[in-house]
Amino acid sequence: MGMAASAGGGNHSHTTWKHIVIIVSTVLLFSAPSVCAQCRILRCNSDFVAATLESGVIGGGNKEGVNTGYCSALRSYAHCTQRTARACRGDLAYHSAVQGIEDLLIQYRCPKAGPTAQPRLLTKAPLSGDGCFYEKGFLQREGRAPEYLHCGVFGDPHIRTFNEEFQTCAVQGAWPLIDNQYLYIQATSSPTRGSSYTTILTEVTVIFQNWRECAEQQVYQAKLGNVPLAFVDGSVTGGDRRGHQSLRIHSHDPGRHAEIWATHIGTMIIVRQVGQSLSLSVRSPRAIVESYTPEQDLQLCVWGCPVSQRLEMLPAHPFGPAYTHCSSLFPMKDVYFQACLFDVQVTGDVNSSASAVAALEDAHAMISDPKRVHLVTDGTGNDSPSLLVVLGFSVLTETLRRSVLGSA
């Protein structure tokens, strides 16, 4: 386009930027309920918007007409889409983003190789007297209590994600449930005895990351048959500061139950053995849950299990023994009722319903709003986009193309 185009491109660049912000924002609004569980494109979109806002006005950034910060953001956006390519195959929002990135790299003459935008990090305010009390610090800064999210993993296993989705998974081996700057939780699933189709949790590992003077790295590990009342180093507390422990473990049923409090990140974790499987329940503030980088994109508590590993709920006869038994325990027919039906039908053992009972008990303890405890879904696990989303993305794709072509 030459120097003239660069010199006169301020208003046009601003217009193009406005188009992109509108497009990405609309994608987020249209697709949030249906896409985020399968595909990480929404995270890529939001990181790109944040990085671009930090880089300033796009286009015409230096003598060569290349905005270094904007090109770094585009390259980071491209890398993010590459990491999630496998999960996003067939997703219209993903393919629209990939095509848009290619067009913008060409338009702003950005080399495909080069530095990328730094990942967003959770802001760390200087520590005060209550610096290791997450809830108190948040209340002082924001004037309100933090928003807490809940994840439960239990039974076959079933997962109630932080995003209020419910899935039954066939995953085997070790999988990360949570992976962020402060906390890493990994669960190991093994086939149930006599079956290669269904799995149960047999091991849970929790790693609290080192965080300033509030807590040093600490590891907790539970295995089937051993839910210890201590961290792996034998301690039951950690992070001593001014007579306060940031980490504490206690139990109502030693050997089968452990409750871990991490006050410096406002998080509570419950590990149980129910019958012949482990279960996990977590309550954590939204800001902690979302403090991950694009590389930490495999988290079952955030995104759910991979689509290929999800199991459909089994049909149940309304007058069958499993239905009758689970109805007596869960009259609201929520996700815990669905989990009970699945486990009882698969195992043929009515005692397997105990895991869903315990998970519901933990949900009551961790979710402050009673209306949110009894999550109700259609039980199909179908996350395919609706017709409205498909049409919306078609319009957005055309708008993006016109915006890019008009700026060429």
Side-chain angles (χ1 to χ4, degrees), residues 16 19 43 50 63 97 142 167 252 275 292 333 370 399:
T16 304
H19 277 306
R43 177 72 186 187
K63 293 181 180 180
E142 306 293 334
Q167 300 165 4
H252 303 305
Y292 53 84
K333 307 298 185 294
T399 305

Side-chain angles (χ1 to χ4, degrees), residues 109-132:
R109 291 177 284 177
C110 299
K112 290 190 176 181
T116 57
Q118 294 297 311
R120 289 181 293 167
L121 299 177
L122 196 64
T123 303
K124 297 179 180 179
L127 288 181
S128 64
D130 292 331
C132 293

